[in-house]
Amino acid sequence: MSSIPPQTTTASPVRNSASSEDELWYDALLFVDDECRERQRQERDGRTGTGSTRPSTSMAADDAETLETRTSLQAGPSSRGDGTEGDDLAGAADRNIRRLELLERLRGVLRSNVAWEGQGGRSHTASLIRRREMEGHWSSSKRARVTSTVLPKQRPMVVASGNSRGYIGHFAADGEFFVAGFQNQVIRLYDMASQARHSDPWKLKVAVSAKSLNWTITDTCLCKRRRLLVYSTISPVLHAVKFDEYDDETATRHTPIDFGEGHSNGAFGLWAMELSHDGNFLLAGSSDNAVYLYDLEDGRLATSAVSHSEDVNSVCFLDSRASDVFISAGDDCMIKVWDLRCLAPSNGNGPVARPQGTLPGHTEGVAHVSPKGDGRYLISNGKDQKCKLWDVRMMRSGAGYQSTLPRKHPKGFEWDYRWQPYPGDPHEDHHPDDCSIATFFGHKVLQTLIRCRWSPAETTGQRYVFSGSQCGGLFVWDVITGQQVAVYRHHRSVVRDCDWHPHRPMLATVGWDGNVVQWQDLAGEDEEKGGG
């Protein structure tokens, strides 16, 4: 496997790149609670009476045996007929070993985050509760262990309903607000902090009427530091609204954020965007096959690059604590890894813009990407009806591989996902150079760019990934076991966006039926209410 250039192995400029596998692994584990790991070691020593413990990253035997059946890990060789088939087989075997190793490590991280010891382990929920009552202490990982085993019940509460398709639905990073965007130009901002005070749940703070609408609202983001709501409408100009000052008198005050002429001869539109962790930069993907970085502090375009051979449908920063490394994904089936320190400024003075690596694996266009936030892992939704899990250390880099892009579907399907069903079999259609470490099935990525996300660290240890679906369901998969653990159904049409509250056991979905739906009731609440 090609090595990752030093400038892309870390997303923070103050961290040095790792020089060995052990250092990479140590760096990936920095976010795990040290106190929790020490307490777990002491508890295991007390039970076994020895001073040696099994590494927290070891995968249980039953997980190893069911790995292939629970998640699809494809890296089949490509036969070129030039006498290199043996080398291809050896390379594919090496990639499979590497893929299994990285997936095992991710599962080890997740287990540590939720104090997880597998089915039948002693650290089950009842045992953890008893220990808390006796010792009076719970680490963050043990709190996550209890909440991660209890998913919200499949009983919906309709927060709002309308007659316009819902395209956007997500919580603010701190959970204070929920944003819902609709095709009829309306963007609703709900105050979720009021629910914590046991007053009106889902209190509507403002309803913004978007400007320069082209078809629909395609993306939104909140800048809490600047108190801005930014939205895109398939236009080269984004708009920002100060949501604390929005009223009838200021309803027309939408500050334009102009991305200029772009890289095409004609008009172009921005499909997706994401705000940097410090709120200073706005990253955007466009229909002219490019990515753009806008400096909100200076009010100008900082840099841009033609990144794909087709539309860029999704962008994100890889690390929630830094803004150096970002991801782009497009209709050319490719996910690309970029380092801002290697991009030229907007005046053109600098090195030629090129990605630091590519993550091949989808056989159709990529609809959405979502980072875990640790600078290593991300998931993606593809029009090949797959949700894939990636580790950027598996990316392909080098000019030799870049010259072969894009690697289209070997069967060359001619279809349009907007109104046709997928003509292939997601379980059988594999990319010859697939470097994803796991694949999840069951949902449908049709008609629109359906989104996928990670569950929050505080309440689940990021144990789950989930996605909307064209069939109207919300699909949830367990990354540790690879199993589909829940499907929430209420919407009568496409669920385009969905999110999980960062601090509460609450899911929210937005659908083409015009409904905003909350899923929060926990298992056992009905029995407790009935018994009271």
Side-chain angles (χ1 to χ4, degrees), residues 70 119 129:
R70 290 179 177 173
Q119 298 298 325
I129 293 175

Side-chain angles (χ1 to χ4, degrees), residues 93-130:
D94 290 341
R95 287 195 297 272
N96 269 329
I97 293 172
R98 175 67 169 163
R99 182 179 293 108
L100 289 168
E101 176 186 338
L102 291 174
L103 181 58
E104 177 181 342
R105 290 182 172 185
L106 174 58
R107 286 173 168 173
V109 171
L110 297 179
R111 288 192 182 101
S112 298
N113 257 2
V114 298
W116 193 83
E117 293 187 7
Q119 298 298 325
R122 297 187 62 182
S123 290
H124 52 77
T125 302
S127 174
L128 288 173
I129 293 175
R130 285 197 298 270

Side-chain angles (χ1 to χ4, degrees), residues 496-530:
R496 204 254 186 182
D497 205 355
C498 49
D499 206 358
W500 198 314
H501 194 280
H503 310 305
R504 303 181 207 151
M506 176 200 301
L507 286 159
T509 52
V510 174
W512 276 15
D513 55 4
N515 290 338
V516 179
V517 177
Q518 167 191 300
W519 313 79
Q520 184 176 24
D521 291 336
L522 297 179
E525 284 190 351
D526 291 340
E527 291 78 4
E528 292 175 5
K529 293 175 182 178

Side-chain angles (χ1 to χ4, degrees), residues 217-383:
I217 308 292
T218 58
D219 210 352
T220 60
C221 62
L222 286 171
C223 180
K224 293 292 297 299
R225 183 167 68 87
R226 303 174 187 274
R227 311 301 286 178
L228 289 178
L229 167 66
V230 186
Y231 61 88
S232 60
T233 59
I234 323 181
S235 164
V237 179
L238 303 179
H239 289 86
V241 176
K242 285 189 173 294
F243 53 81
D244 282 339
E245 304 172 5
Y246 193 84
D247 53 31
D248 292 341
E249 294 182 0
T250 63
T252 59
R253 300 177 188 172
H254 294 228
T255 304
I257 303 176
D258 193 346
F259 281 67
E261 298 180 357
H263 292 270
S264 62
N265 295 326
F268 72 99
L270 300 171
W271 287 109
M273 60 181 174
E274 181 163 321
L275 199 66
S276 62
H277 78 290
D278 57 8
N280 289 332
F281 294 95
L282 198 60
L283 179 67
S286 73
S287 63
D288 65 348
N289 312 338
V291 290
Y292 296 85
L293 188 74
Y294 192 91
D295 189 331
L296 292 174
E297 195 74 26
D298 294 341
R300 63 178 181 84
L301 185 65
T303 187
S304 65
V306 176
S307 55
H308 293 260
S309 60
E310 297 184 41
D311 289 7
V312 179
N313 295 326
S314 185
V315 292
C316 67
F317 290 101
L318 188 61
D319 196 324
S320 60
R321 303 157 297 180
S323 307
D324 294 323
V325 179
F326 69 90
I327 304 294
S328 66
D331 275 335
D332 59 0
C333 313
M334 289 299 157
I335 299 172
K336 297 187 179 182
V337 183
W338 301 79
D339 193 317
L340 290 176
R341 293 161 290 188
C342 299
L343 292 181
S346 58
N347 59 16
N349 297 324
V352 177
R354 63 175 179 83
Q356 302 305 300
T358 304
L359 295 168
H362 281 291
T363 56
E364 299 291 343
V366 183
H368 190 245
V369 288
S370 177
K372 186 174 182 288
D374 62 352
R376 294 288 183 270
Y377 300 99
L378 66 144
I379 57 172
S380 62
N381 250 356
K383 298 175 185 178

Side-chain angles (χ1 to χ4, degrees), residues 431-452:
H431 194 289
D433 297 329
D434 187 4
C435 65
S436 63
I437 61 175
T439 303
F440 307 98
F441 303 93
H443 63 315
K444 295 183 178 181
V445 184
L446 298 170
Q447 294 187 259
T448 185
L449 301 175
I450 290 173
R451 300 189 162 191
C452 57

Side-chain angles (χ1 to χ4, degrees), residues 32-49:
V32 179
D33 187 347
D34 291 333
E35 179 186 351
C36 170
R37 285 186 285 153
E38 177 63 21
R39 289 177 62 85
Q40 286 180 319
R41 185 189 65 78
Q42 293 173 357
E43 290 167 1
R44 287 195 296 266
D45 288 351
R47 292 196 300 268
T48 61

Side-chain angles (χ1 to χ4, degrees), residues 445-466:
V445 184
L446 298 170
Q447 294 187 259
T448 185
L449 301 175
I450 290 173
R451 300 189 162 191
C452 57
R453 302 184 190 273
W454 290 81
S455 66
E458 181 174 325
T459 56
T460 70
Q462 294 185 295
R463 175 175 176 172
Y464 304 104
V465 295
F466 57 99

